[in-house]
Amino acid sequence: MLLARINDLLDRRWLTNDGPMVKEFERRIAEFVGVRHCIAMCNATVALEIAIRALGLRGEVIVPSYTFVATAHALQWQEITPLFADMDPGTHNIAPAAIERLITPRTSAIIGVHVWGRACDAEAIEAIGRKHGLEVMYDAAHAFGCSHKGKMVGSFGRCEVFSFHATKFLNTFEGGAVVTNDDALAEKMRLMRNFGFAGYDRVIYLGVNGKMTEVCAAMGLTSLDSIDEIIALNRRNYLAYQEGLRAIPGVSLIHYDPAERNNYQYVVAEVDPDVAPLRRDELVSVLHAENVLARKYFWPGCHRMEPYRSLQPNSALLLPETERVAARVMVLPTGQAVTPEVIQTICAILRSALAQSASVRTALAQRT
Ligand SMILES: Cc1ncc(COP(=O)(O)O)c(C=O)c1O
C-alpha cells in the first residue's frame, strides 16, 4: 500500500505544500479523534512551537519536568520560561496541586503532557486554567489513539499536539499534528505552518516552514489503515512482558486502564530500589550488554538538562517525585520487530541478573 501511494504521488509530481495525501491524512486524523481540525506538520516539536505562538503564550508556562525535552524547548526557543511542576507518581503525569504552587503574575499557560499515553487529569488542570485565566494545551505526543473518560485524547484544552516520529506506533517517518476544535486558531496555525502565506503574494503573519510532505502523509495513511492491528500487537507485547515479569520482585509494569482506549506503545517498568537487589541503572547496563536497548526515561528530567539546569538551578527542590521516578523507570523494547519469544528472553535476562545480583554488580563494576 505504501509503495502504491508513493508511486501515485510521484506520478502526480505533487511532493509537498498541502497536497492531496496530506489533506486526506488530516481529514482521517480529525475524524478518528473526533475534532474539527487537524493541521499536519513536519514534526511535533515544530507543531508545539507553532501552537504556542498561535495561542500568544508569553512570560512563564507551567510544564512537567517529566517529559521529553522538546516540550520545554518549544517554549524556551521562543524565550518563554518553562516552569517545571512535579508529577503524580501514580500516573507519571503533571500533578495539579504542583501547578497551582508555580502560578505567578507572569504565567500565561499550562501545557500538560499525557505521559505514556495515559491522559492527564484534564478536568483538574482545566479548572486551574479557568480559575487563573490561563490557556491550557497538551503535548499528546505519546497519546494518539488513547482516550480519557471515554473521550479521545486530542479534544482537550485549546489544542493538542501529536507526534508521528518513527519511534511512535503510528508514524510518518518524521511528523506531527495539532488538533483543535477552535476554527480561528486552526486557521492561524495553517498560515504559520506555511510562512504566513494567505495567498500567492500575501503574507499576513510571521510564519515558519512546518509543512508535512506527501511521502510522510503516505506513510501515515498506510499506518492508519492498520492501526487496530498495530495496537493489538503492542498490547500482545505488553501482556507478554507482564507475564514474564510477574514473579520478579521489585520490577513492575505501569498499568493501562482497561476502561479506556490505550495504544500500549510504551512498556514501562519501575524498578523499586528498596525491593529489587539491583538498581535500575544496573539492569539497563545488563540489558545493554546483551544488546537489548532498554532506556532510562525521562532521565534525568528536563530540569537537569541544559539550559534549564543553569537557568533554574534550584528547581529540583520542588520536584521530589520527578527525581524519584526518573531514577526508577526503564522502558523496554516493543513494537512490530519484537516477538513474544524475544520478550521471554529479555525477561529471562532480568530474572537471571536479579538472581545473581552480587556477581552481576561486581562484573559491572569491573567494566567501568
Ligand atoms: C512528550 C514528547 N513531546 C514532544 C516530542 C517531540 O516529537 P517530534 O520528535 O515529533 O518532534 C516527543 C518525541 O518523542 C515526545 O515524547
Side-chain angles (χ1 to χ4, degrees), residues 2-3 23 28-29 33 87 92-93 102 105 154 160 185 189 203 205 227 235 244-245 249 258 288 299 310 365:
L2 174 63
L3 293 181
K23 286 205 172 84
R28 282 183 57 186
I29 295 283
V33 173
M87 64 147 81
H92 296 183
N93 283 327
L102 295 178
E160 302 210 48
L185 182 66
M189 291 191 293
V203 173
Y205 281 124
I227 186 166
R235 183 165 179 274
L245 297 175
H288 284 189
W299 173 258
S310 299

Side-chain angles (χ1 to χ4, degrees), residues 50-63:
I50 288 179
I52 287 163
R53 194 176 276 272
L55 282 172
L57 307 192
R58 67 200 174 281
E60 295 168 356
V61 172
I62 299 171
V63 294

Side-chain angles (χ1 to χ4, degrees), residues 10 23 28 146 148 161 172 200 244:
L10 290 176
K23 286 205 172 84
R28 282 183 57 186
C146 301
H148 174 59
V161 174
T172 57
Y200 276 128

Side-chain angles (χ1 to χ4, degrees), residues 43-46 48 67-68 70-71 113 139 141-142 163-165 167-168 174-176 266 298:
N43 59 56
T45 306
V46 168
L48 282 166
T67 178
F68 184 62
T71 319
V113 181
D139 177 339
H142 295 186
S163 171
F164 302 123
H165 181 259
T167 51
K168 303 294 185 287
E174 289 271 3
Y266 292 97
F298 290 100

